[in-house]
Amino acid sequence: MRMNRTLIAAATAVLAVTAPGTALAATADDAAPSACRPANHLARIAQDQSSASHLHFRVTLTAPAGYATCRLAGSPTDVSFSEDGSPLPVTAGSYGDQTGVVTFGPGRPVHFDIQVRNNGRTSPADEASFTLHGPGGAIPGTSVAEGAFVVSEGTLVGPVQPGA
């Protein structure tokens, strides 16, 4: 076993030298942590294009280099909103196809939509917390996204989609 590890390490070093910038698959002994874990990705909220009846805010998730790609599915759940650290009394539902699966990781950002009724009764918010899901169920932990946005009763969260 020690000989195999030595050979794998030598081959990896040769590949890294001969193919700079090439992503190498991690071995079982040094597997990179999953980008889907809340501590391993960044999330930012920004205003998106609105319609006549709804405001839309895009939550973009990115993962720094060094994390393993993973798969996400459906809309985030357990979504809560706050403003300056104070929780807002808004419960978010979900909309859209909850069966689609996307790959997320370094160089593969994903996003989801926060859809808010444009009824003039919105509350400012600056943080959303949520639970992501993979094809097999919830991913442990709570992710947090920051940015200026608004919420109201009837706020919905769309499924995770590929791209920023």
Side-chain angles (χ1 to χ4, degrees):
M1 191 67 163
R2 185 170 178 78
M3 176 70 127
N4 287 342
R5 287 186 183 164
T6 303
L7 290 173
I8 289 171
T12 301
V14 168
L15 285 172
V17 170
T18 59
T22 302
L24 302 174
T27 65
D29 292 327
D30 64 345
S34 172
C36 285
R37 295 279 186 185
N40 301 341
H41 59 256
L42 307 170
R44 189 81 187 129
I45 304 170
Q47 184 148 10
D48 207 352
Q49 189 170 1
S50 298
S51 65
S53 59
H54 292 96
L55 302 171
H56 294 273
F57 299 90
R58 181 176 285 218
V59 179
T60 302
L61 282 70
T62 57
Y67 292 101
T69 59
C70 54
R71 297 179 340 140
L72 295 171
S75 296
T77 58
D78 303 323
V79 181
S80 62
F81 306 106
S82 62
E83 169 70 7
D84 293 330
S86 297
L88 298 172
V90 174
T91 302
S94 62
Y95 75 88
D97 178 12
Q98 300 300 306
T99 62
V101 177
V102 299
T103 300
F104 170 58
R108 297 182 114 175
V110 296
H111 71 275
F112 64 88
D113 178 48
I114 298 175
Q115 177 181 283
V116 181
R117 289 184 187 157
N118 192 5
N119 62 7
R121 291 182 279 186
T122 60
S123 298
D126 60 10
E127 184 176 280
S129 61
F130 49 90
T131 301
L132 294 170
H133 290 263
I139 296 168
T142 302
S143 295
V144 176
E146 296 179 334
F149 65 110
V150 297
V151 293
S152 70
E153 286 303 318
T155 294
L156 299 174
V157 176
V160 176
Q161 302 290 314

